[in-house]
Amino acid sequence: HIAFFCFLVMSSGFDICIDELDEALKKFKDSVKILEQCPREDKQKKLRLCERAYNGVKTELRSCSTELNATKDAALRDTRAADLQQRQAQVEAARTAFEVTKADLERTALMGDSPSQEDSPQPELQGLSQMQEHGDKLNKETDQALARTKKAALNTEEVAIATNIKLNEQGEQLKRINGDLDELEGVINQARKQLGQLARDAAGDRCIQALCGLITLALVAVVILAVLGKDGGNLNVPDEIRSQRLRG
């Protein structure tokens, strides 16, 4: 009972972390959507909210990793690892969307703050160069984020395939065990029938032995009566047996 209770506690601990991670991830995704749809003057405020939500997601990811490392059962650990890998892929996808939205916001802010051509033509050229450099940097960061997301997705697929293979192997093993149990049950039933037959045969042998004993006793009684002459000459016994009494 204690071991089963500890198993339930460990299972519920990881499940609670996964639920909290899902909740934090949903909050982060909702924050990104709000950031995309909010007016320009509110985007900086919503941007900070998104960053705080993403920090909460990272915290829950660390908690899930801790619970996963504490799992001792190999099959259960593989299943939990597959679940966690799927969540990590979702987190990477959401973070990529956030970084793209953030990059668009920075581009928009940079274009809005650039000076006009009539007022200062040379600073405008400098601003365009800076915008180009900043845009290249943001594109590079976006590509890196997409590469991380793709890598996480591939890792998740590999873990899922490995988990599926192990589950199939365990299923085949359970089928073999069920077949062995059925065969064992058949052997036990056959042995039970044979024991019943042996018991019936033994009971029949005891009846035959008892009958033989009674017949033997009856023959001895007849001989004794004939020898003593108590049968009145009615019993059919050899004359030699009757003559024993006379010689006596």
Side-chain angles (χ1 to χ4, degrees):
H1 294 291
I2 296 176
F4 180 69
F5 176 75
C6 293
F7 174 77
L8 289 178
V9 171
M10 292 177 63
S11 299
S12 62
F14 182 79
D15 293 338
I16 290 174
C17 288
I18 286 293
D19 292 339
E20 292 178 351
L21 175 59
D22 290 339
E23 184 177 354
L25 181 58
K26 182 179 182 301
K27 183 178 179 181
F28 177 55
K29 290 180 178 179
D30 293 340
S31 300
V32 174
K33 290 181 180 179
I34 294 174
L35 175 64
E36 294 174 350
Q37 299 173 1
C38 72
R40 180 178 175 181
E41 58 272 12
D42 295 336
K43 287 188 179 294
Q44 290 298 328
K45 180 179 179 181
K46 301 301 181 183
L47 182 63
R48 289 191 294 269
L49 292 177
C50 289
E51 292 174 348
R52 283 198 293 268
Y54 179 65
N55 290 332
V57 171
K58 291 192 294 184
T59 300
E60 297 302 333
L61 276 175
R62 287 193 294 268
S63 299
C64 291
S65 298
T66 302
E67 291 293 336
L68 177 62
N69 294 331
T71 303
K72 297 181 179 179
D73 184 79
L76 182 60
R77 184 170 57 251
D78 292 338
T79 302
R80 290 180 173 180
D83 293 339
L84 187 57
Q85 286 284 349
Q86 292 177 357
R87 266 66 174 193
Q88 288 176 341
Q90 295 176 9
V91 171
E92 287 294 331
R95 189 166 73 93
T96 301
F98 170 62
E99 290 181 353
V100 171
T101 303
K102 183 179 178 181
D104 292 340
L105 178 60
E106 292 179 353
R107 288 194 189 98
T108 303
L110 187 59
M111 292 176 63
D113 294 338
S114 61
S116 62
Q117 182 176 2
E118 297 178 355
D119 296 336
S120 53
Q122 186 63 29
E124 179 183 1
L125 295 176
Q126 295 177 357
L128 290 175
S129 177
Q130 292 176 357
M131 287 174 57
Q132 182 66 36
E133 293 176 358
H134 188 66
D136 293 340
K137 180 181 177 182
L138 292 176
N139 289 332
K140 183 178 179 181
E141 293 177 353
T142 303
D143 292 339
Q144 291 176 353
L146 291 174
R148 289 193 299 268
T149 302
K150 184 178 180 181
K151 182 179 179 180
L154 291 176
N155 292 335
T156 302
E157 183 179 2
E158 292 176 357
V159 172
I161 292 174
T163 303
N164 188 29
I165 292 174
K166 289 186 178 181
L167 290 176
N168 290 334
E169 292 177 353
Q170 292 176 357
E172 293 296 331
Q173 185 178 3
L174 289 175
K175 289 181 181 179
R176 290 194 297 270
I177 292 174
N178 289 332
D180 294 340
L181 290 176
D182 293 338
E183 183 178 356
L184 180 60
E185 184 178 0
V187 172
I188 292 174
N189 291 333
Q190 186 65 27
R192 187 181 292 110
K193 292 179 181 179
Q194 292 179 356
L195 288 174
Q197 185 63 37
L198 290 175
R200 289 191 292 270
D201 293 343
D205 293 342
R206 284 194 295 270
C207 292
I208 293 173
Q209 292 174 0
L211 181 61
C212 291
L214 291 175
I215 292 173
T216 302
L217 291 176
L219 290 175
V220 172
V222 168
V223 171
I224 293 174
L225 290 176
V227 171
L228 296 177
K230 301 295 184 178
D231 59 341
N234 295 325
L235 296 176
N236 186 14
V237 296
D239 295 335
E240 290 81 357
I241 295 177
R242 293 184 181 278
S243 65
Q244 294 294 330
R245 181 175 176 277
L246 298 175
R247 287 197 297 270

